Amino acid sequence: MYPSQTVEEFFAGETKVPIKFDRNVLGLGNLIGKDKTKEILKDQVYEIPFYIAEELVTKEIATLQLPKIFGNDVMNALKVTPIDMNLRNYCPQFYTFASDYALLWQDIINREYQRYGDERQHQLDLTKIQEFLEILKRSKIDRAVEILNRAKRFFEDHNDFLERLDDDERKMFEEQRQVCEETYVDYTKL
């Protein structure tokens, strides 16, 4: 863990993502769970922790693939019913991981544009990232509104709701609940 990272950022890096190797790599197989041989062959796809994938992609040893947690079914569900989504099932630090993934994705696109200069493809790729980020932003806002509304309701059971939240959202709920408890006045007892 790097000193500048929070615990949440570190664990978001533990989320596994698929990468496809662009070349043969000696000595890495046993580190990513391939126990028969130490060699990774070109065009093989492995799911490995994001922090390792980020280094391999940055060094152009592998190509980043879309993780299942950002597949069409998940993104469509976030568009339609973001409040009902159990993000914890996908990643305990869903939005932190999504942000890190989008940054890496954008770096890759910009690097490819500098190398190949294809303006049309560059704009298409940037549009995809913007759509991805817009879905995340809208869903986070909708979920935050629901979190803040539920935090005010002391006399309701929120356990099912809390189980669907990622770590940052749970923290938001607890902090808002604390503020509400400190400022709550029961006017029936005055």
Side-chain angles (χ1 to χ4, degrees):
M1 183 167 83
Y2 301 107
S4 63
Q5 284 184 314
T6 65
V7 173
E8 291 81 12
E9 290 169 336
F10 176 76
F11 284 119
E14 290 289 317
T15 302
K16 293 191 175 193
V17 296
I19 61 169
K20 182 172 92 175
F21 284 86
D22 297 334
R23 61 180 89 148
N24 295 344
V25 181
L26 294 173
L28 188 64
N30 59 344
L31 296 176
I32 63 172
K34 186 178 180 202
D35 54 359
K36 294 181 181 175
T37 179
K38 293 182 179 181
E39 183 176 10
I40 300 284
L41 301 176
K42 181 180 178 182
D43 295 328
Q44 288 184 322
V45 177
Y46 288 97
E47 280 200 354
I48 63 175
F50 180 72
Y51 72 95
I52 296 173
E54 185 175 23
E55 289 300 317
L56 294 172
V57 169
T58 301
K59 295 182 189 312
E60 300 181 9
I61 296 171
T63 305
L64 190 64
Q65 307 289 301
L66 186 68
K68 293 174 189 170
I69 67 171
F70 301 134
N72 286 336
D73 54 339
V74 175
M75 298 312 286
N76 286 336
L78 279 174
K79 283 188 218 175
V80 178
T81 58
I83 295 166
D84 296 334
M85 289 283 299
N86 187 342
L87 296 183
R88 192 160 204 69
N89 283 347
Y90 296 102
C91 177
Q93 299 81 21
F94 185 85
Y95 288 107
T96 301
F97 173 65
S99 173
D100 292 345
Y101 182 83
L103 285 173
L104 179 60
W105 188 11
Q106 187 171 8
D107 287 346
I108 293 166
I109 289 170
N110 289 334
R111 186 176 58 219
E112 288 178 357
Y113 174 66
Q114 289 173 354
R115 181 174 296 148
Y116 303 114
D118 187 349
E119 181 66 33
R120 185 173 167 272
Q121 185 62 44
H122 183 67
Q123 289 305 316
L124 286 173
D125 291 338
L126 287 179
T127 301
K128 288 179 188 176
I129 291 177
Q130 289 168 347
E131 289 171 3
F132 175 77
L133 292 174
E134 186 60 34
I135 292 168
L136 293 173
K137 181 177 104 177
R138 184 78 251 154
S139 68
K140 181 135 179 132
I141 290 170
D142 290 349
R143 290 171 68 89
V145 168
E146 184 67 18
I147 289 166
L148 297 177
N149 284 335
R150 287 185 182 238
K152 303 186 267 193
R153 297 183 263 173
F154 298 120
F155 307 110
E156 293 180 19
D157 181 19
H158 300 289
N159 290 335
D160 290 341
F161 177 70
L162 290 172
E163 287 176 9
R164 296 192 306 253
L165 303 180
D166 79 357
D167 289 345
D168 290 335
E169 292 173 323
R170 282 185 179 194
K171 185 177 176 183
M172 180 192 307
F173 179 88
E174 291 167 7
E175 289 172 356
Q176 184 63 28
R177 174 56 68 97
Q178 183 67 32
V179 168
C180 290
E181 287 174 356
E182 290 171 1
T183 59
Y184 176 74
V185 176
D186 187 353
Y187 291 102
T188 61
K189 295 185 178 180
L190 292 179

